[in-house]
Amino acid sequence: MQDKNGSLYTLRSAHPKDGKDVLNFTKTMLQEADYLITKPTEYLVPLRREKRMIKQFMYARGRLFLLLFHETRLVGMLDLMNSSRKRLSHVADIGMSIDSAYQNLGLGRLLLQHARAWAEAHPTIEKLALEVFKQNEQAIHLYTSLGFVQEGEKKQAVKLEDGTYDSLIQMGRSVLKGGRLDE
């Protein structure tokens, strides 16, 4: 897989042996990223638990955990998970992070396109869903360009360190052939 500058990347499903890399990447993202809900001090996951969670993604139906490497460095992650509840199992929620040094290279688009193709081939999943900070206009632009539409807004859902608030925009996209979200 290549970014728009021609650099080579490896995209693959996570494996429990990746637990340490996933933990370190997650901790770094939580410290650097402005648009994540969890704060670094709240993320207290031991390595064995991280490995167990990765293993659950490997064997659970309707779950995907992708890792994106530039050479040996983990630079991006995407997880996709549908509900175990029958009435909600057709919807898969997405979470994604890209290392700040690797943003604006088309890597988020590549991860999302791969996830969409995987979901389109899945026998149960019909819709992808995500939430994004309203102030994260760059991410909203990416999601919109890939066919996601705004479905709602949770006003003042996130209280920031300075005492101000941000809303969470709920977005969704059908993965049915020729399908689109009903109005």
Side-chain angles (χ1 to χ4, degrees), residues 4 29 33 75 97-108 138:
K4 61 185 182 185
M29 291 301 97
V75 298
S97 292
I98 303 290
D99 184 314
S100 59
Y102 290 83
Q103 291 179 2
N104 301 313
L105 299 174
L107 300 177
Q138 187 174 355

Side-chain angles (χ1 to χ4, degrees), residues 143-144 147-152 169-174 181 183:
Y143 303 142
T144 302
F148 285 83
V149 295
Q150 182 173 335
E151 298 180 324
I169 303 298
Q170 298 162 307
M171 301 185 81
R173 183 197 192 287
S174 173
L181 296 173
E183 301 290 326

Side-chain angles (χ1 to χ4, degrees), residues 45-137:
V45 177
L47 180 58
R48 69 181 177 281
R49 184 170 166 217
E50 185 67 50
K51 288 181 176 183
R52 188 174 42 231
M53 288 189 303
I54 293 170
K55 194 172 187 179
Q56 289 172 346
F57 267 88
M58 290 174 64
Y59 298 109
R61 204 163 179 214
R63 292 185 180 189
L64 177 67
F65 192 174
L66 295 175
L67 302 180
L68 181 62
F69 292 88
H70 181 245
E71 298 176 2
T72 60
R73 180 178 176 179
L74 180 57
V75 298
M77 291 190 324
L78 179 142
D79 63 83
L80 179 152
M81 179 177 12
N82 71 340
S83 176
S84 59
R85 294 183 180 129
K86 183 146 181 72
R87 290 184 171 185
L88 301 176
S89 65
H90 68 290
V91 179
D93 292 312
I94 293 177
M96 181 175 70
S97 292
I98 303 290
D99 184 314
S100 59
Y102 290 83
Q103 291 179 2
N104 301 313
L105 299 174
L107 300 177
R109 179 176 300 278
L110 290 171
L111 279 169
L112 286 165
Q113 288 171 331
H114 188 84
R116 182 184 68 209
W118 182 90
E120 287 172 347
H122 193 276
T124 306
I125 297 173
E126 299 175 6
K127 176 183 173 182
L128 299 177
L130 56 87
E131 290 185 338
V132 59
F133 280 56
K134 186 175 185 175
Q135 294 177 21
N136 193 349
E137 295 173 1

Side-chain angles (χ1 to χ4, degrees), residues 142-161:
L142 170 64
Y143 303 142
T144 302
S145 75
L146 290 169
F148 285 83
V149 295
Q150 182 173 335
E151 298 180 324
E153 179 176 342
K154 294 180 183 178
K155 296 194 180 286
Q156 294 185 327
V158 181
K159 187 171 186 178
L160 305 173
E161 284 72 21

